[in-house]
Amino acid sequence: MKTMILTAVTALALSAPVASAQPHSPEVDSAMTLSLPAPTGNRPVGSTPVYLKDTSRPDPWVPSVPYRELMVSLFYPAASAHGPKTQYLTSAESAALLRDSGLDVPPDLLTGVATNSVAGARPAGHHLPLVVLSPGYTKPRATLTALAEDLASHGYAVALVGHTYENTGTSFPDGHFAGCASCEVPHDTAFWTKLELGRAADVSFVLDSLTRSKKWGPLVDASRIGMAGHSMGGASTIPAMVADSRIRAGIDIDGTTEVPLTAPGLARPFMFVSHARTPACAPGNVPWERDWAQLTGWKRWIEVAGTLHASFTDVGLVGDQLGVDLGATTSAARTQEITRTYVNAFFDRHLRGENRPPLDAPAYPEVSFCR
């Protein structure tokens, strides 16, 4: 992960390999609408921002702040598909994400990304399985919106966590804006360990807050909680599961784990999802191989051919629409389809007890089962 991040060619394509094409400045049509793919489930989706404040600990990146504040985007099946759609990013968040991208595009371009969830919609259902999603380092939580909306359309509640001071910028309800304070810290091994363990603490706090909330507690089933993440968010899933037994199943999407999983290991279900290696499923991912040996329960390791690190998130989707060639040979839309299929299948099996064939044999020609 450290190498991926340091060799990023654009802010949009964080962690793209060195061999990727250099970014160019696409011609952006003023009438162009960037969009996320429609969810594949049969339920309308709602979403709402949730502000949380943990007064039990100071912020790990700005010690002068005597609390940890987080923004969470909560997605869920909605009672109606009608109403204004959720704004993807605020103007300040869009400008911060694009500032160092190398793309000559309007700073508020990403405020207009068309989403599929109704802002503030009334939830439909209760005691839903809950999936916590954690984004990659420096990425706003919004960059996992396509996956979150899809899970919600299949009947999941989804808590998409923004880890403050660990992304390009977060807008808060009172108007203040938190930038990437952690970006100013030397990125040594201790840094990545702190990041993973800090995210685990964030997730436990989010679970405490949601399950104890009078408003949101009835929406979620505290006995059916899972977690998935991309990049650093994925790498943080194992430490979060070790620290919090409420998380029954987890997925790491292309995140290099820094905190070793040690004996007695982890007996709960876990899945690794990797971008393409050459040749397919080649040895050499030492951190995953180390942790794989300590996973003692149900486990899968899949690889998706033709993909890069950014392919699994909205970063790849937006990049493709802008014409930014990062070198992937499998389109981001296709990769998103594959990602959604496997994430849904995994949580259907391990949070709902429903068998899903894609977990037993590759459901796409791009997918290989490794190890």
Side-chain angles (χ1 to χ4, degrees):
M1 179 178 301
K2 291 176 284 188
T3 300
M4 290 177 177
I5 290 173
L6 292 174
T7 58
V9 296
T10 83
L12 274 178
L14 181 70
S15 304
V18 176
S20 298
Q22 291 298 312
H24 64 278
S25 297
E27 294 292 332
V28 179
D29 187 332
S30 60
M32 178 184 187
T33 300
L34 301 172
S35 62
L36 302 182
T40 60
N42 60 7
R43 306 183 193 190
V45 178
S47 72
T48 189
V50 179
Y51 171 77
L52 300 176
K53 185 175 182 179
D54 184 357
T55 57
S56 70
R57 55 181 174 138
D59 190 273
W61 307 112
V62 184
S64 61
V65 179
Y67 49 81
R68 178 69 166 162
E69 59 179 353
L70 302 172
M71 289 301 301
V72 174
S73 294
L74 189 62
F75 295 82
Y76 44 83
S80 172
H82 303 293
K85 295 299 191 288
T86 302
Q87 185 180 37
Y88 189 70
L89 290 173
T90 67
S91 294
E93 290 168 341
S94 174
L97 182 57
L98 290 169
R99 186 170 295 123
D100 299 319
S101 69
L103 301 178
D104 185 15
V105 296
D108 64 349
L109 178 68
L110 300 180
T111 64
V113 175
T115 66
N116 301 281
S117 50
V118 178
R122 182 167 61 87
H126 58 280
H127 293 113
L128 304 174
L130 172 67
V131 175
V132 179
L133 294 181
S134 179
Y137 180 58
T138 79
K139 286 295 171 283
R141 67 190 189 279
T143 54
L144 291 180
T145 297
L147 180 58
E149 290 183 335
D150 193 67
L151 282 164
S153 78
H154 287 272
Y156 288 91
V158 182
L160 180 43
V161 183
H163 301 278
T164 312
Y165 300 118
E166 297 174 17
N167 54 62
T168 50
T170 302
S171 297
F172 284 88
D174 65 359
H176 81 276
F177 183 81
C180 190
S182 66
C183 293
E184 307 303 319
V185 178
H187 289 11
D188 55 13
T189 299
F191 169 85
W192 297 109
T193 298
K194 177 180 177 178
L195 199 67
E196 283 190 26
L197 296 178
R199 288 196 173 201
D202 283 351
V203 169
S204 286
F205 170 64
V206 168
L207 293 181
D208 288 343
S209 300
L210 293 180
T211 56
R212 297 171 184 173
S213 166
K214 291 182 179 179
K215 182 175 183 179
W216 300 115
L219 179 68
V220 302
D221 182 346
S223 70
R224 294 187 294 165
I225 295 173
M227 179 178 172
H230 176 253
S231 194
M232 177 51 67
S236 302
T237 301
I238 287 179
M241 293 180 71
V242 170
D244 198 322
S245 62
R246 291 175 294 182
I247 306 172
R248 289 178 47 183
I251 304 174
D252 177 353
I253 303 174
D254 219 37
T256 302
T257 52
E258 293 290 342
V259 179
L261 178 59
T262 57
L266 186 65
R268 282 163 275 161
F270 200 84
M271 183 165 68
F272 287 116
V273 180
S274 172
H275 73 276
R277 299 175 68 86
T278 305
C281 294
N285 189 335
V286 176
W288 281 16
E289 291 163 356
R290 174 200 66 209
D291 293 341
W292 178 261
Q294 297 292 334
L295 294 170
T296 61
W298 187 102
K299 57 186 177 181
R300 289 288 183 276
W301 179 334
I302 73 171
E303 181 176 296
V304 186
T307 59
L308 299 173
H309 190 61
S311 299
F312 299 99
T313 75
D314 301 356
V315 171
L317 293 166
V318 170
D320 276 6
Q321 291 173 60
L322 286 174
V324 179
D325 182 8
L326 301 175
T329 56
T330 299
S331 72
R334 175 73 167 178
T335 306
Q336 183 67 208
E337 177 187 343
I338 294 169
T339 304
R340 288 171 162 190
T341 295
Y342 277 91
V343 170
N344 270 291
F346 177 85
F347 288 123
D348 281 352
R349 176 171 289 191
H350 298 297
L351 297 186
R352 287 174 163 158
E354 300 173 359
N355 185 47
R356 291 292 180 260
L359 296 176
D360 299 320
Y364 297 86
E366 296 92 343
V367 172
S368 298
F369 281 19
C370 305
R371 306 297 178 269

